């Protein structure tokens, strides 16, 4: 074997226990229960306080490169991913210039990323008004699916789909089996809500009501039902929608849903006025809502937890005014998702196997990555070494992403990533060895 790893604790599809893992040519060749005599060129034995986990798969990352690389870039984003145990990301099609809404734009993005990524990177395409004819070509070029908004996206170059546009896009995608991932907030409900401007978090929360999510998700469900398309609800924050999501699945609608570490960690009651580092859309809601999202994970209604890493420069967060209406909405958390989720999960009786399902195996399955997210023979030898009982306090200036802004600053968390491996080689942050992925090839 090129590499042999001996771990007293490892999370595999069979559960948690001791394993001996062998790697050949960048793939996992052997996962043997217990400690067995397996010769290797390199042998690594984990410490008693360490657990071997598959590399996480984060399918919701805004890299913003090219065009807004001062917000984030491929080098810094993928370093942050590796520091957090994430070995594969899928980049969102907006906030970069040009947005990934045609093949030429995808080529530009790939050219910018080539040779600069420290983990593997795939790409989403975008579904916007007028680009229906470009969707099949993007699909054939290997994007993992298509993102749309049902209200203003925050950037003018990525406009939303109206109801007719949503149906048309879903029918087109259904014709070749692609999935549509949806930022589901209803524009009319948002327009009718109170003005979001000002320092009070309660006012901002009122400007993005649960009903806006619930209405939009209902519309996505019914459109998917009519068209037969695969739909995925992004960053669920309203627990009210869980019942209708579960019902749609029982009816046979091809629907999946994700939530994010910030919705599982923070609560509206504890967000200070003017603390715009907590602004995201849809918003962080009340404590009772958070607990119902955790119940949605326990029930299997929510299958995946991904970062929605949406960074920006400090100026765009408008710390000078603390105005939630003016501040950019997005939380930088790519490096912190695993400890943030684990900190909350273990308090509620969940296991590391649960966390691995939500953050590695299930996201990989959602986008069709057959060789990612599992410690299993035939999979890429992507893994991280995690110390679940070690604690730390987040210092935002020490994070690897580009700008020192994060809602997690000064927050104590449990679980430290001590190392990350990509195809059996340690990710050091030096020479970039990540690959650009195409749907069907991974």
């Amino acid at each position: 074997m090129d590499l042999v790893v001996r771990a007293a604790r490892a999370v595999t599809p069979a559960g948690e226990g001791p394993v001996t893992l062998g790697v050949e040519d960048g793939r996992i060749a052997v996962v043997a229960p217990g400690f067995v005599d397996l010769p290797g060129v390199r042998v690594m034995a984990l410490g008693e306080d360490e657990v071997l986990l598959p590399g996480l798969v984060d399918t919701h990352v805004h890299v913003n490169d090219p065009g807004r690389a001062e917000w984030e870039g491929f080098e810094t984003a993928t370093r942050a991913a590796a520091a957090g145990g994430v070995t594969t990301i899928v980049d969102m099609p907006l906030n970069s210039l040009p947005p990934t809404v045609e093949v030429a734009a995808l080529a530009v993005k790939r050219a910018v990323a080539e040779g600069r990524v420290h983990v593997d990177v795939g790409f989403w395409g975008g579904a916007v008004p007028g680009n229906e004819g470009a969707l099949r070509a993007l699909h054939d070029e290997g994007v993992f699916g298509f993102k749309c908004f049902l209200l203003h996206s925050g950037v003018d170059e990525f406009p939303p789909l109206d109801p007719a546009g949503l149906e048309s896009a879903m029918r087109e995608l259904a014709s070749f089996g692609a999935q549509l991932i949806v930022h589901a907030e209803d524009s009319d409900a948002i327009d009718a809500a109170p003005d979001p401007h000002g320092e009070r978090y309660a006012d901002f929360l009122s400007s993005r009501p649960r009903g806006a999510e619930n209405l939009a998700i209902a519309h996505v469900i019914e459109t998917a039902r009519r068209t037969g398309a695969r739909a995925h609800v992004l960053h669920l924050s309203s627990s009210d929608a869980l019942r209708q999501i579960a019902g749609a699945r029982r009816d046979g609608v091809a629907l999946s849903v994700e939530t994010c570490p910030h919705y599982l960690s923070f609560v509206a009651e504890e967000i200070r006025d003017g603390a715009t580092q907590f602004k995201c859309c849809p918003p962080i809601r009340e404590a009772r809502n958070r607990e119902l999202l955790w119940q949605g994970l326990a029930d299997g209604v929510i299958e995946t937890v991904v970062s929605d890493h949406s960074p920006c420069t400090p100026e765009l967060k408008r710390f000078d005014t603390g105005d939630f209406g003016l501040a950019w909405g997005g939380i930088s958390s790519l490096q912190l998702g695993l400890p943030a989720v684990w900190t909350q999960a273990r308090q509620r009786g969940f296991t590391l196997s649960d966390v691995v399902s939500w953050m590695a195996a299930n996201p990989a399955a959602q986008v069709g990555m057959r060789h990612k997210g599992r410690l299993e023979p035939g999979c890429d030898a992507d893994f991280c070494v995690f110390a679940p009982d070690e604690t730390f306090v987040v210092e935002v200036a020490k994070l690897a992403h580009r700008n020192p802004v994060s809602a997690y600053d000064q927050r104590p968390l449990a679980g430290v990533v001590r190392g990350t491996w990509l195809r059996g080689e340690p990710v050091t942050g030096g020479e970039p060895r990540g690959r650009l992925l195409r749907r069907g090839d991974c």
Side-chain angles (χ1 to χ4, degrees):
M1 297 290 163
D2 300 326
L3 171 68
V4 172
V5 182
R6 293 191 172 93
R9 295 176 64 189
V11 175
T12 73
E16 184 178 324
V19 303
T20 302
L21 182 145
V23 177
E24 285 185 338
D25 297 325
R27 290 271 177 100
I28 298 172
V30 175
V31 180
F35 293 152
V36 301
D37 185 14
L38 191 65
V41 176
R42 294 171 292 153
V43 177
M44 180 173 71
L46 270 58
E48 293 183 359
D49 64 335
E50 296 175 333
V51 185
L52 187 69
L53 305 181
L56 304 188
V57 177
D58 193 335
T59 55
H60 195 149
V61 178
H62 295 268
V63 178
N64 309 330
D65 197 3
R68 292 187 174 97
E70 69 275 14
W71 297 15
E72 189 67 278
F74 282 106
E75 292 180 67
T76 50
T78 54
R79 281 197 187 98
V86 177
T87 52
T88 305
I89 67 171
V90 187
D91 173 58
M92 284 292 167
L94 73 157
N95 300 342
S96 57
L97 295 169
T100 316
V101 296
E102 59 183 1
V103 169
L106 176 62
V108 169
K109 182 166 280 195
R110 281 181 169 149
V112 169
E114 187 68 49
R116 297 174 56 207
V117 298
H118 296 271
V119 300
D120 288 353
V121 178
F123 300 96
W124 293 106
V128 298
N131 85 324
E132 184 180 307
L135 300 180
R136 181 59 187 259
L138 278 165
H139 177 79
D140 291 344
E141 280 296 311
V143 299
F144 285 86
F146 297 86
K147 180 176 187 175
C148 75
F149 279 74
L150 303 184
L151 78 172
H152 194 280
S153 69
V155 291
D156 291 338
E157 66 275 3
F158 200 94
L161 296 178
D162 63 16
L166 178 67
E167 178 142 358
S168 181
M170 279 199 181
R171 289 195 184 280
E172 174 67 9
L173 298 182
S175 72
F176 49 87
Q179 67 177 317
L180 186 68
I181 64 174
V182 186
H183 182 123
E185 289 181 285
D186 183 81
S187 59
D188 290 338
I190 297 293
D191 289 343
D195 184 357
H197 292 283
E199 297 182 18
R200 295 184 68 241
Y201 185 77
D203 291 341
F204 169 64
L205 185 60
S206 296
S207 77
R208 314 291 292 214
R210 296 189 197 195
E213 269 192 275
N214 303 337
L215 282 170
I217 290 169
H219 184 58
V220 169
I221 288 170
E222 293 313 308
T223 309
R225 192 193 308 272
R226 287 195 303 272
T227 61
R230 286 195 296 143
H232 177 79
V233 174
L234 297 166
H235 44 50
L236 180 71
S237 83
S238 172
S239 62
D240 294 349
L242 291 169
R243 181 173 295 179
Q244 62 176 321
I245 291 167
R249 288 218 195 99
R250 285 194 300 269
D251 291 345
V253 178
L255 183 71
S256 54
V257 62
E258 67 185 43
T259 194
C260 304
H262 41 276
Y263 301 128
L264 299 170
S265 298
F266 304 121
V267 294
E269 294 92 333
E270 297 176 358
I271 297 176
R272 304 184 314 278
D273 291 346
T276 54
Q277 65 269 33
F278 290 91
K279 179 182 177 180
C280 57
C281 299
I284 295 162
R285 303 193 188 276
E286 302 85 355
R288 175 59 178 162
N289 183 83
R290 177 183 66 175
E291 297 314 307
L292 290 172
L293 291 177
W294 278 105
Q295 188 60 48
L297 284 164
D299 295 340
V301 180
I302 304 172
E303 305 106 326
T304 61
V305 180
V306 291
S307 69
D308 189 11
H309 178 68
S310 186
C312 66
T313 61
E315 293 77 17
L316 288 174
K317 277 295 187 182
R318 296 308 303 262
F319 295 126
D320 57 334
T321 66
D323 191 324
F324 281 94
L326 298 177
W328 176 258
I331 290 183
S332 298
S333 60
L334 182 54
Q335 185 172 338
L336 299 170
L338 177 57
V341 172
W342 174 237
T343 298
Q344 299 293 323
R346 70 175 190 168
Q347 294 174 14
R348 294 166 174 81
F350 294 103
T351 67
L352 280 173
S353 291
D354 296 320
V355 173
V356 164
S357 294
W358 303 328
M359 303 187 76
N362 292 352
Q366 181 218 330
V367 296
M369 293 181 181
R370 297 165 296 158
H371 305 300
K372 300 287 188 181
R374 305 183 312 281
L375 296 181
E376 190 171 76
C379 288
D380 289 348
D382 302 344
F383 47 82
C384 70
V385 173
F386 187 59
D389 297 323
E390 184 177 350
T391 61
F392 69 104
V393 175
V394 177
E395 296 181 59
V396 71
K398 294 182 179 180
L399 299 177
H401 63 247
R402 176 150 293 171
N403 290 293
V405 178
S406 177
Y408 291 91
D409 189 33
Q410 299 306 306
R411 190 172 182 88
L413 296 177
V416 171
V417 175
R418 291 183 176 169
T420 301
W421 280 255
L422 185 68
R423 282 180 290 279
E425 297 293 336
V427 183
T428 64
E431 179 185 358
R433 291 184 294 98
R435 296 176 182 171
L436 306 185
L437 304 177
R438 293 173 181 263
R439 177 190 41 77
D441 293 340
C442 55

